[in-house]
Amino acid sequence: ALEIGVLVEQLNATGQVQSNWAQVSESIYGSWGIMGLIENYRVHQIKTAASLLNVTEEAIKNAAKTNIRAAAALLAHYQNNISTNNHADWFGAMKQLTGLWDNALAHDLTLRIYEVVRTGSKTVSLWGEIINISPTDVTLPRAASEAIFDSPTASRVEAVDYPNAVSN
């Protein structure tokens, strides 16, 4: 965060929400690493970040530190390299960092990330590390803090969980 000029709380919350701090290989929709950076036929975050940092795409995919640096570089890039300490000012850039092309899904994921920033989190990683994110006071504008339903996907979703799942 210091190297790139972004807010550390946002990187911490993104790592928590996207992967619970696991440097994972490619997901079914093309996301990689702790920060869930996406490289697929629609979204080219890893390619863009590799260019911004002058590193290889493989390093972003496979090295946790480089994956986090790549997310920071993308966040600054999406923010047009205008640094601010006001978390609300970063909402649009954070939404782009999700890499989701569906506006409602990207908005929802961004709200989840901001909720971790706001409330903090204490979790245990796959390796038994305790990750403690302290809460940070954040007030989002009403337009940003509400769910949006402007896509075909959003209008179909009726439940947060899989509706046919056994409830136990």
Side-chain angles (χ1 to χ4, degrees):
L2 289 174
E3 173 192 355
I4 307 293
V6 298
L7 300 174
V8 69
E9 296 88 355
Q10 292 176 326
L11 292 178
N12 286 340
T14 300
Q16 176 61 48
V17 169
Q18 291 286 30
S19 70
N20 193 32
W21 298 100
Q23 179 64 19
V24 295
S25 61
E26 184 176 19
S27 73
I28 60 171
Y29 60 93
S31 71
W32 292 83
I34 289 173
M35 305 307 276
L37 301 180
I38 296 176
E39 189 69 32
N40 62 28
Y41 70 99
R42 284 184 184 244
V43 181
H44 303 286
Q45 290 182 315
I46 293 175
K47 183 177 183 175
T48 301
S51 174
L52 291 169
L53 293 173
N54 197 28
V55 299
T56 67
E57 292 180 33
E58 290 305 310
I60 293 170
K61 291 177 180 180
N62 298 312
K65 183 177 179 180
T66 307
N67 188 266
I68 296 167
R69 287 181 67 234
L74 285 169
L75 190 56
H77 175 71
Y78 297 148
Q79 185 71 1
N80 295 317
N81 295 305
I82 300 169
S83 187
T84 172
N85 288 326
N86 183 350
H87 286 275
D89 293 342
W90 291 85
F91 191 86
M94 288 294 293
K95 191 172 174 179
Q96 283 186 273
L97 186 62
T98 69
L100 300 174
W101 54 270
D102 181 282
N103 188 42
L105 293 176
H107 191 88
D108 184 55
L109 183 56
T110 306
L111 289 176
R112 286 178 51 209
I113 292 167
Y114 268 88
E115 184 65 13
V116 171
V117 171
R118 192 181 66 73
T119 62
S121 173
K122 185 174 183 179
T123 58
V124 179
S125 74
L126 293 172
W127 301 275
E129 300 165 307
I130 296 173
I131 308 291
N132 191 18
I133 300 172
S134 298
T136 302
D137 186 31
V138 176
T139 303
L140 294 175
R142 185 171 184 216
S145 64
E146 294 179 346
I148 57 172
F149 301 100
D150 67 348
S151 73
T153 303
S155 62
R156 289 192 308 260
V157 176
E158 295 179 7
V160 175
D161 206 350
Y162 178 66
N164 297 329
V166 177
S167 62
N168 68 351

